[in-house]
Amino acid sequence: DVILTNPPFGRKQSYRVVRDDGEVDTEREDYDRSDFFVTTSNKQLNFLQHIMSALAPNGEAAVVMPDNVLFEGGAGETIRRRLLRNFNFHTLLRLPTGIFYKQGVKANVLFFDKAPPSDEAATKALWIYDLRTNQRFTLKERPMTRADLDDFVACYRSGQAYERKESERFRKFPLDALMARDKLNLDIFWLKDDTLDDPDLLPPPDEVAAEVVESLEAALASFRSVAAKLQGA
């Protein structure tokens, strides 16, 4: 089978409980499921565990996840270790900032297959495509199009992974190199951000202004939603 999904992003990890005496308690929102191998309040990590448990043998998955899934310690490290061990986590697409969910959110697409049981790790190497560094897209002013993914699709070589070749944006990282990284951090970059040295490469003022307006409008929409819920409470 194939699982293609973009679980909802969110950092809320607790909820409020109003006791009979009117006092408010804050409790962690942990998920303790028999098919999960680690308990955590991180929703993205739990969605990833759910997909890993639901995927059938030899099944394929492509999942959109925020950056924290790649570097968060504790439960995150345990899940990444399991992902490399029991699945063929073969490709990671680093998406540009600001094209998914809302402005400023950094997202990735994780491609992995469920491998049959084995004494050896299913992942031999992780190929990472950097579509983020020195790339400039926005949701409205400069949206990403299908043509912007052409190079990644060509590098991916669906059904012919053995023919993959490294390029400026596409790099291969062997399993032993990944396992040697502190906390199994997979938040990996190698390209130089040119905007750090050349201010002329920064977006034009009108585009920056449009992004600010877009962010403010999104914030106002969120505040209106909260205000409406409070009025109805």
Side-chain angles (χ1 to χ4, degrees):
D1 64 347
V2 177
I3 295 179
L4 305 174
T5 182
N6 56 320
F9 292 2
R11 296 292 295 171
K12 184 179 179 182
Q13 299 179 352
S14 62
Y15 57 94
R16 300 175 66 199
V17 178
V18 180
R19 303 198 308 251
D20 292 339
D21 59 4
E23 294 297 319
V24 177
D25 288 335
T26 299
E27 300 186 12
R28 284 173 56 86
E29 194 171 13
D30 292 333
Y31 294 85
D32 186 10
R33 285 177 29 173
S34 60
D35 56 334
F36 284 8
F37 45 89
V38 64
T39 300
T40 174
S41 60
N42 183 300
K43 290 181 172 59
Q44 288 78 47
L45 292 176
N46 282 324
F47 270 113
L48 183 55
Q49 288 192 92
H50 175 66
I51 294 163
M52 292 165 67
S53 65
L55 197 61
N58 299 314
E60 303 175 8
V63 186
V64 178
M65 285 283 165
D67 275 12
N68 72 83
V69 169
L70 301 178
F71 60 76
E72 191 161 305
E77 180 181 354
T78 300
I79 292 171
R80 290 191 296 276
R81 198 172 298 277
R82 178 70 68 94
L83 185 60
L84 293 170
R85 177 67 180 79
N86 295 359
F87 298 77
N88 179 17
F89 181 19
H90 53 83
T91 311
L92 174 64
L93 172 61
R94 310 302 307 269
L95 293 173
T97 300
I99 66 160
F100 200 88
Y101 182 61
K102 64 180 180 180
Q103 192 64 35
V105 172
K106 297 179 179 179
N108 314 266
V109 186
L110 285 62
F111 298 84
F112 55 90
D113 308 332
K114 189 166 187 177
S118 173
D119 293 334
E120 298 182 358
T123 301
K124 306 306 179 185
L126 173 63
W127 288 81
I128 302 179
Y129 190 97
D130 184 353
L131 189 59
R132 184 179 301 173
T133 307
N134 298 321
Q135 296 294 311
R136 188 68 185 173
F137 298 101
T138 63
L139 290 174
K140 295 181 180 180
E141 299 300 315
R142 194 186 299 182
M144 192 172 75
T145 66
R146 171 59 178 79
D148 295 309
L149 290 167
D150 285 349
D151 186 62
F152 167 70
V153 172
C155 289
Y156 187 90
R157 290 188 172 275
S158 181
Q160 298 176 312
Y162 58 90
E163 295 185 357
R164 288 179 171 181
K165 296 180 180 180
E166 289 190 312
S167 65
E168 180 183 17
R169 290 192 175 275
F170 199 42
R171 290 287 180 86
K172 179 181 180 181
F173 295 86
L175 178 63
D176 56 353
L178 299 176
M179 299 298 287
R181 293 177 60 83
D182 183 42
K183 297 181 180 179
L184 204 60
N185 187 332
L186 301 181
D187 187 26
I188 301 173
F189 289 98
W190 60 92
L191 294 175
K192 180 182 178 182
D193 186 349
D194 294 335
T195 61
L196 297 178
D197 297 326
D198 189 352
D200 291 337
L201 296 177
L202 292 171
D206 61 331
E207 191 170 300
V208 173
E211 288 186 29
V212 171
V213 170
E214 184 178 319
S215 297
L216 290 174
E217 289 176 343
L220 285 172
S222 297
F223 282 127
R224 291 192 183 100
S225 176
V226 171
K229 291 179 180 179
L230 291 174
Q231 289 176 355

